[in-house]
Amino acid sequence: MSAADFINNSPETKPFWDAAAIGRFVLPRCRECRRTHWYPRGFCPHCMSTTLDWQESPGNGEIHSFSVNRMGTEPYVLAYVALEEGPIMLTNVIDADPATLSIGTRVKLVFRPAIGQAPVPLFTIA
Ligand SMILES: [Zn+2]
């Protein structure tokens, strides 16, 4: 089993990747306190309930924090994105000039195809 198989097939994350495979972005949502969270796991990090659902998200948010890595052939942006629903995701901001980014820049989710696994959720300028 590869790392990708493990990520895609663990019970906590499989619904996320199944949705991603058909272009839907979903977040785990607690049935008890009704808050969403990220990353997917078997319990709510806010109230510890194990009764969770999945809620579709439009994938809108803003840059909470970011850094530009210039060690490779092209710079890339590693960022924490605060989603409108509340959770903060560690992700990449793509197709953007790093010089134009700042904390608070509005971003939106894009799925980027990945070889041998479900599309990966990334963000670009909204
Ligand atoms: Zn909860």
Side-chain angles (χ1 to χ4, degrees), residues 10 14 17-18 21 33 45 53 55 58 61 64 67 71 81 113:
S10 82
K14 188 174 188 309
W17 294 112
D18 286 350
C33 72
D53 282 326
Q55 173 181 299
H64 180 75
S67 68
M71 295 296 286
V81 166

Side-chain angles (χ1 to χ4, degrees), residues 24-45:
R24 294 176 60 228
F25 180 57
V26 294
L27 295 170
R29 181 172 183 264
C30 177
R31 283 190 222 157
E32 299 299 324
C33 72
R34 303 191 175 281
R35 295 172 72 182
T36 54
H37 62 267
W38 185 259
Y39 53 90
R41 66 200 87 173
F43 62 93
C44 170

Side-chain angles (χ1 to χ4, degrees), residues 40-102:
R41 66 200 87 173
F43 62 93
C44 170
H46 306 292
C47 74
M48 300 307 197
S49 170
T50 56
T51 55
L52 305 174
D53 282 326
W54 292 87
Q55 173 181 299
E56 187 151 11
S57 167
N60 297 321
E62 64 181 40
I63 293 176
H64 180 75
S65 176
F66 74 102
S67 68
V68 181
N69 188 319
R70 300 180 192 280
M71 295 296 286
T73 53
E74 289 189 28
Y76 70 91
V77 178
L78 184 66
Y80 281 106
V81 166
L83 297 169
E84 285 179 342
E85 293 86 348
I88 296 175
M89 293 180 70
L90 180 61
T91 184
N92 294 114
V93 176
I94 60 171
D95 300 331
D97 177 355
T100 66
L101 302 177
S102 63

